[in-house]
Amino acid sequence: MTVKSVLRMGHPLLLQKAAPVTGFNTPQIDALIADMFDTMAAQSGAGLAAPQIGVSLRVVIFGVDRNPRYPDAEPVPATVLINPEIEILGDEQDEMWEGCLSVPGMRGLVERHTHLRYTGYDAQGARFERVAHGFHARVVQHECDHLDGILYPRRIRDFRLFGFTEELFRDAAIESAAVDPS
Ligand code: NI
């Protein structure tokens, strides 16, 4: 299909609450998902939300193979998640450096819940649920935030820990701990 340009922070569509998908297996939804995968692959992202390519619908994709770009990130199954719902499991949270294709060149330290269950629909419209933890749970939270108009900088608690990747990670040993969900 098509590699789309990714909207950047400041574009008003990224602040909107996206609308639920009401019909599955339509040419429009199938094309949207194909474009999202092509765009995510072209940018080496770990995930992408439909609003990032200008479509205000509740569709996210994510997936990470073992990848030298994310040496500390466990693999995440390639997933299409439509109309997602998240249930947080337990109180545990952890911090990790996040990036976003809509906030290019920057990273921030973000606290997220470490365990959750997500439920939604796959590309064929079949309902499914999964329990996720760690990096997988972080990516789901980051992507689903996009559907509510939230970009990760709003989750940063200490703005001293937000900046340009090249400046933050002059020490290559620290860079290996940084991830770039989408
Ligand atoms: Ni993002």
Side-chain angles (χ1 to χ4, degrees):
M1 297 296 290
T2 313
V3 174
K4 300 288 190 181
S5 59
V6 176
L7 304 184
R8 291 182 300 174
M9 184 170 65
H11 193 292
L13 197 142
L14 293 173
L15 299 174
Q16 288 181 19
K17 189 172 171 69
V21 170
T22 55
F24 295 94
N25 295 305
T26 65
Q28 291 83 359
I29 293 297
D30 293 345
L32 170 64
I33 291 167
D35 288 349
M36 289 173 68
F37 273 107
D38 287 348
T39 303
M40 182 173 78
Q43 303 273 357
S44 300
L48 192 72
Q52 292 181 277
I53 59 166
V55 177
S56 193
L57 289 173
R58 303 186 79 77
V59 179
V60 302
I61 64 169
F62 46 84
V64 183
D65 292 328
R66 284 257 173 241
N67 182 331
R69 205 169 152 221
Y70 316 109
D72 298 328
E74 61 263 40
V76 178
T79 301
V80 175
L81 179 60
I82 300 173
N83 298 348
E85 295 164 37
I86 291 176
E87 177 192 355
I88 301 300
L89 303 175
D91 296 330
E92 191 182 334
Q93 301 194 12
D94 65 0
E95 290 181 325
M96 194 180 265
W97 291 98
E98 288 192 15
C100 180
L101 297 177
S102 294
V103 192
M106 303 191 79
R107 297 284 168 88
L109 196 68
V110 178
E111 196 167 24
R112 300 274 188 191
H113 298 284
T114 54
H115 292 83
L116 55 77
R117 176 183 292 112
Y118 60 92
T119 308
Y121 297 86
D122 68 14
Q124 285 73 46
R127 194 167 171 84
F128 71 103
E129 70 169 51
R130 243 185 230 152
V131 171
H133 66 273
F135 183 63
H136 186 174
R138 176 172 295 272
V139 171
V140 170
Q141 290 168 86
H142 177 113
E143 298 311 327
C144 291
D145 265 357
H146 277 293
L147 305 182
D148 292 326
I150 296 170
L151 299 175
Y152 81 85
R154 281 176 59 186
R155 301 288 191 193
I156 295 171
R157 290 186 173 179
D158 182 348
F159 276 93
R160 292 174 300 180
L161 301 171
F162 178 49
F164 291 96
T165 311
E166 289 176 359
E167 303 292 351
L168 288 166
F169 303 114
R170 289 184 178 280
D171 178 348
I174 298 174
E175 185 170 19
S176 72
V179 296
D180 201 358
S182 84

